[in-house]
Amino acid sequence: MLVFFKIIIVLLLAYMVVNLFRALFSMLRNDPDKPPMSHYLGKRVGVAAVIFVILIAATASGFLPLNPRPY
């Protein structure tokens, strides 16, 4: 189950990178018929917030174990 959780997080991070490149191409082309660059950057920020909430919820519930103290 933990492997499935990690795969979901990696896929969400890959989706963030894809949105960054889509924003780059949107900025370079500047086509008024397509969505603006802020549309893709907003998706990226939203996905980052979702990842952050998922990680905090998994840590608080004990599903995702943290590293022990190094000392």
Side-chain angles (χ1 to χ4, degrees), residues 2-70:
L2 189 60
V3 173
F4 179 70
F5 179 74
K6 289 179 181 181
I7 289 172
I8 294 294
I9 296 296
V10 168
L11 288 176
L12 286 171
L13 289 171
Y15 183 68
M16 284 177 56
V17 172
V18 167
N19 276 322
L20 280 174
F21 278 106
R22 289 177 75 181
L24 173 71
F25 293 133
S26 176
M27 178 183 67
L28 292 176
R29 290 197 180 118
N30 199 13
D31 189 7
D33 297 331
K34 295 194 177 184
M37 179 180 66
S38 61
H39 175 77
Y40 299 114
L41 292 178
K43 280 186 178 182
R44 181 194 131 338
V45 170
V47 170
V50 167
I51 290 173
F52 189 69
V53 168
I54 288 173
L55 287 175
I56 288 182
T59 302
S61 68
F63 180 69
L64 185 65
L66 296 177
N67 288 336
R69 290 183 167 179

